[in-house]
Amino acid sequence: MKNINNKTINRLIKSNEFVIAIVIILVILIFGAINPAFYSTRNIFELFRTITVNLIFGCGVMMIIVNGGVDLSFMAIAIVTSYLTVQSCILLSMQGPLIIIFIIASIMGLIIGLFNSYLVSKYDIPVFIATLSVGSVIRGLVLAFIGNEYIPSTHMPISTIELSKKYIFLMRDIQGEFGLHIGIIISIGIIIITHIILNYTVIGRGVYALGGDKISAIRIGYNIKKIRYFIFGYAGLLSGIAGIIYVSQNRMADPISLQGQELSVIAAVVMGGTRITGGKGSVLSVILGVLLTQIILSNLVLIGVPSFWHRSTFGALIIAAILFQSIRENLKKEYKY
Amino acid sequence: MKKMIKIKETIEFDDKSYQLIGILLIILIIMTILIPGRFATINNLIAMCYQFPEIGLFSIGIAITMIIGGADLSIVSIANLSAVISGIIIIQKMPSNANSELAIKYILISLLTTLLIGIISGFINGYIIGYMKVFPILVTLGTQNLYFGIAVILTGGIGVYGTVPELLYFIGSGKLFNIIPVPLAYFTIFFLITYILIHKTPYGIKAQLYGSNKIASYYSGIDNKKVVLKTYILSSIIGSFTGFLILARTSSAKGDYGITLVLQALLVSVLGGVSPLGGKGNLINVLLAVLSLQLIDTGFNFMRISPYVRASTYGGMLIISIAIEYLIKKYKEKIEKRKLNKKKY
């Protein structure tokens, strides 16, 4: 009995997630020591608000990375679907309900995601090439033919604006009222659903099998095409939902926003412990990775780092995290090539 | 005549090249018909020669890293970093009343620093990827942010502007012997050096072998780590010298110049037949792909089509070309099967 306990503890200490969690705690302690305002409820609620969208993106991205490929289209999908949805709501002079808006956006995202997987499975295009080109095509088409000007909050459907003002509960301090935004509940729900799909369904186990070893997955009897369609469709659907939340949080739909930031979410997910070559990853890694990057990025100002240092700090952070990971992985490996 | 034969021997065309030449000609013909009298003129061709070297150099830099199975996403940031540092040396540090001799000295110093930046940044990339065995896309993504951040710190987020000495202006927009645009010559030099290194030297052959099968190259006695290191240093040097060209052409340098060029250069390399999985690639094809996309770009400019459409043509062309290639492959397989069946009966 004692032995088993020791083993599980050993495993826990050696796991990537544990190390990242310790790093997060250290970062929190250091930041808090430099500026106690970091611990204020307002700041923590603000952090939850900013990670909402990235958590949803992270779930989709993690699934595709586990399956063995890097998706570079999810932000384009998010912004295109949300912009189109808002535009069509304006055309139909529709103000809500919110659920319809979410459904429209997620169906659009689903369709684009399915198109991605069609390209990948039918024409054997590597995932990151296919998604990269699909992303640039849809973004370009929307900018060229639908419109390239942002929609201000006065024109947007009222229900999306109302979403940005919905709080789970409100608090009060010297600066005024603030609250915990309701978006975090949506992301927690999506995280739970993703966890259930990955761990308790046949298709979810197939995702890991396919990412670990494609040929063995085929021989076991998994339908690879079906799994791929499912993953990409699911990621597209999540992108649609995240897009609407993003648009409502910013209170404007800007078709050129979110450009070239795909890589920061991917980096966060990988930092959390998802293996970039596929086969390994969990929702926990998404949560930890997104938390770590967001805590550092959004609180650099708070500890007095000038804003033009942010990019290089972020870059150094990514490099440090992946170096650390790879050194740990290499210690286990025996081959040298 | 002898020289001509030699050139023919050194430049190797494959099936993909003929395909791309065909595409190039088709685009040229379509554009000439659509824009009569204005497209196929010498002035326009010369104007294009000023435009494509930047994206061309980036594409070659990314293509060689893709040949060894990675992708140097930091190449544009390296270019901006070197442009910013050269800009600080030439525009800010040089006394404004300097004569041409002093200006030449300053430009030589900045060229030296450009080379140095290329080597250092490439060494960082290559060392982490080759020796510590980290996934290349992630490493270069991190260093992309790092180099970008350093450039922003150096300029304080504004950029470097000012009057440049005449020689630098000449490199960016002059003509050699009144005919050849200098950027074209600049591009040609780097293209030839890279082409020879990749396709004609033992190092290049090792790199291609490494790209197609790491384990096999390891057991055939190739120093994998060194190959990776050399390739990333080469691509970074190409990147940093592109930065110098950008400085010369625009007389300014910014940390965030042409960030979208990374994705474009990636697409161009894939369009040019470089396999993103590594091992396969011919730099001539990359050049042809760059040229055909430049023709489309210029044509769209003439037709006043929105720049956003242009951005999406890259992706669209890529998907279509890969799909067509796939269909051709399937068709060939079908014909071969038929032949086999005939032999059987």
Side-chain angles (χ1 to χ4, degrees):
Chain A
M1 197 62 200
K2 216 179 177 184
N3 233 339
I4 294 167
N5 261 340
N6 270 343
K7 257 185 190 173
T8 43
I9 288 168
N10 258 336
R11 226 198 221 164
L12 185 74
I13 291 169
K14 276 181 184 167
S15 75
N16 215 351
E17 282 82 0
F18 182 76
V19 177
I20 297 288
I22 285 188
V23 171
I24 291 176
I25 292 168
L26 276 179
V27 166
I28 290 174
L29 287 178
I30 293 169
F31 278 28
I34 294 172
N35 189 348
F38 177 76
Y39 291 133
S40 70
T41 331
R42 176 185 281 272
N43 191 40
I44 291 165
F45 283 1
E46 198 51 48
L47 179 72
F48 279 130
R49 191 190 172 99
T50 45
I51 62 169
T52 306
V53 173
N54 276 3
L55 278 180
I56 302 176
F57 280 141
C59 285
V61 169
M62 183 268 291
M63 258 198 172
I64 293 181
I65 291 179
V66 167
N67 166 55
V70 182
D71 184 5
L72 289 172
S73 68
F74 58 96
M75 289 221 169
I77 295 177
I79 218 64
V80 162
T81 52
S82 57
Y83 190 71
L84 283 179
T85 312
V86 171
Q87 280 281 26
S88 50
C89 282
I90 292 170
L91 267 181
L92 301 168
S93 62
M94 201 169 80
Q95 302 294 354
L98 199 60
I99 190 84
I100 301 278
I101 292 175
F102 270 119
I103 287 172
I104 295 173
S106 47
I107 286 175
M108 275 194 238
L110 180 73
I111 291 167
I112 301 171
L114 290 179
F115 183 66
N116 270 340
S117 69
Y118 169 76
L119 288 178
V120 170
S121 31
K122 168 93 191 186
Y123 298 113
D124 259 346
I125 308 178
V127 175
F128 95 100
I129 298 294
T131 50
L132 180 64
S133 24
V134 166
S136 77
V137 167
I138 55 173
R139 199 191 274 271
L141 288 180
V142 165
L143 285 171
F145 296 112
I146 313 290
N148 48 30
E149 276 170 15
Y150 74 90
I151 303 168
S153 61
T154 45
H155 288 61
M156 273 174 51
I158 292 168
S159 52
T160 56
I161 298 296
E162 265 172 8
L163 175 67
S164 71
K165 294 176 194 158
K166 259 190 196 135
Y167 296 103
I168 301 169
F169 53 84
L170 283 169
M171 285 174 88
R172 198 168 259 291
D173 66 355
I174 317 155
Q175 294 168 40
E177 248 181 7
F178 65 96
L180 185 58
H181 189 243
I182 198 154
I184 197 73
I185 287 189
I186 302 176
S187 2
I188 289 172
I190 284 169
I191 285 170
I192 291 170
I193 292 171
T194 313
H195 182 73
I196 290 170
I197 289 174
L198 277 179
N199 288 301
Y200 300 106
T201 62
V202 177
I203 217 162
R205 303 317 295 170
V207 174
Y208 285 107
L210 182 54
D213 193 337
K214 192 175 158 189
I215 295 164
S216 342
I218 296 172
R219 289 199 181 144
I220 293 168
Y222 280 116
N223 185 346
I224 283 192
K225 263 190 185 169
K226 206 169 123 192
I227 294 172
R228 279 219 175 110
Y229 273 106
F230 174 77
I231 299 165
F232 281 88
Y234 185 69
L237 190 143
L238 290 188
S239 297
I241 295 172
I244 293 290
I245 295 177
Y246 178 80
V247 160
S248 102
Q249 278 188 349
N250 284 356
R251 294 187 199 173
M252 63 171 193
D254 185 1
I256 15 191
S257 62
L258 281 181
Q259 199 156 21
Q261 291 173 30
E262 290 91 353
L263 298 168
S264 64
V265 175
I266 294 168
V269 169
V270 174
M271 234 186 265
T274 305
R275 193 191 292 150
I276 189 93
T277 44
K280 198 185 147 205
S282 63
V283 286
L284 191 61
S285 63
V286 175
I287 298 170
L288 291 173
V290 171
L291 255 181
L292 180 61
T293 49
Q294 240 0 286
I295 286 176
I296 292 177
L297 274 183
S298 48
N299 289 303
L300 278 175
V301 180
L302 214 61
I303 60 165
V305 177
S307 64
F308 46 79
W309 277 83
H310 289 186
R311 273 301 274 271
S312 48
T313 317
F314 182 56
L317 177 79
I318 296 177
I319 295 169
I322 53 179
L323 265 186
F324 179 72
Q325 252 192 40
S326 82
I327 289 168
R328 279 164 46 87
E329 289 246 320
N330 285 343
L331 285 179
K332 292 180 208 156
K333 281 177 194 165
E334 285 165 16
Y335 58 87
K336 319 172 195 81
Y337 34 86
Chain B
M1 201 55 210
K2 255 187 181 174
K3 265 188 181 171
M4 283 295 285
I5 293 166
K6 256 193 174 171
I7 287 172
K8 259 192 181 171
E9 274 171 7
T10 38
I11 292 175
E12 285 159 12
F13 283 172
D14 49 25
D15 288 352
K16 184 84 187 171
S17 332
Y18 293 114
Q19 247 180 57
L20 282 166
I21 290 173
I23 292 173
L24 199 67
L25 287 178
I26 290 169
I27 294 168
L28 193 63
I29 291 165
I30 291 176
M31 289 297 174
T32 321
I33 293 167
L34 285 178
I35 314 159
R38 282 189 301 158
F39 189 77
T41 58
I42 292 188
N43 274 342
N44 186 27
L45 284 180
I46 289 174
M48 273 192 264
C49 289
Y50 286 107
Q51 289 157 8
F52 86 86
E54 279 169 32
I55 179 79
L57 285 171
F58 284 141
S59 312
I60 288 166
I62 288 191
I64 58 171
T65 51
M66 273 168 76
I67 286 174
I68 62 158
D72 190 353
L73 300 177
S74 66
I75 190 163
V76 175
S77 300
I78 292 170
N80 287 330
L81 179 61
S82 85
V84 162
I85 291 176
S86 304
I88 288 173
I89 291 172
I90 294 174
I91 295 171
Q92 290 180 356
K93 297 282 177 220
M94 194 171 75
S96 53
N97 56 348
N99 54 2
S100 60
E101 246 176 62
L102 195 62
I104 289 174
K105 263 184 199 164
Y106 270 92
I107 287 173
L108 282 180
I109 292 170
S110 70
L111 275 174
L112 211 66
T113 49
T114 305
L115 182 67
L116 212 66
I117 291 162
I119 291 172
I120 293 171
S121 52
F123 185 82
I124 295 173
N125 281 346
Y127 190 83
I128 298 176
I129 295 166
Y131 284 75
M132 303 179 132
K133 299 191 183 56
V134 189
F135 196 68
I137 290 176
L138 273 183
V139 176
T140 52
L141 162 69
T143 50
Q144 176 195 51
N145 280 298
L146 187 68
Y147 302 145
F148 175 89
I150 295 172
V152 173
I153 292 168
L154 285 175
T155 59
I158 320 162
V160 184
Y161 305 96
T163 49
V164 293
E166 218 146 83
L167 181 63
L168 193 67
Y169 182 77
F170 174 75
I171 293 172
S173 22
K175 277 181 193 172
L176 273 181
F177 316 117
N178 279 329
I179 317 169
I180 309 160
V182 183
L184 181 66
Y186 195 90
F187 172 78
T188 316
I189 292 168
F190 281 100
F191 178 76
L192 285 180
I193 292 172
T194 322
Y195 183 83
I196 290 167
L197 276 177
I198 289 292
H199 292 290
K200 301 290 163 200
T201 60
Y203 150 70
I205 292 160
K206 280 179 197 168
Q208 289 181 28
L209 183 57
Y210 171 80
S212 54
N213 194 339
K214 283 181 201 179
I215 301 167
S217 82
Y218 177 77
Y219 282 112
S220 53
I222 292 170
D223 193 344
N224 280 351
K225 296 169 183 172
K226 259 188 194 164
V227 169
V228 174
L229 190 65
K230 278 180 189 166
T231 312
Y232 278 93
I233 288 178
L234 183 59
S235 87
S236 295
I237 289 175
I238 294 171
S240 68
F241 275 95
T242 317
F244 190 78
L245 183 66
I246 290 170
L247 174 72
R249 205 173 68 85
T250 61
S251 304
S252 66
K254 266 191 332 188
D256 59 350
Y257 177 88
I259 288 298
T260 51
L261 286 180
V262 185
L263 299 186
Q264 278 184 24
L266 258 180
L267 291 180
V268 167
S269 329
V270 179
L271 206 56
V274 180
S275 159
L277 305 173
K280 227 175 85 181
N282 187 347
L283 290 181
I284 294 283
N285 296 349
V286 177
L287 175 64
L288 289 171
V290 171
L291 289 178
S292 44
L293 284 175
Q294 184 60 47
L295 283 182
I296 292 181
D297 255 15
T298 315
F300 278 12
N301 252 344
F302 270 114
M303 292 191 276
R304 308 215 168 155
I305 289 174
S306 140
Y308 301 121
V309 178
R310 268 185 275 157
S312 67
T313 43
Y314 285 86
M317 271 188 75
L318 185 71
I319 294 174
I320 292 169
S321 80
I322 292 181
I324 288 175
E325 214 169 275
Y326 176 83
L327 292 178
I328 289 173
K329 200 176 117 195
K330 271 277 145 94
Y331 181 71
K332 274 185 184 165
E333 274 174 14
K334 225 183 189 179
I335 288 177
E336 263 175 33
K337 252 189 191 172
R338 257 186 222 161
K339 273 184 190 168
L340 277 178
N341 280 344
K342 268 184 190 172
K343 271 182 193 169
K344 261 186 194 170
Y345 303 113

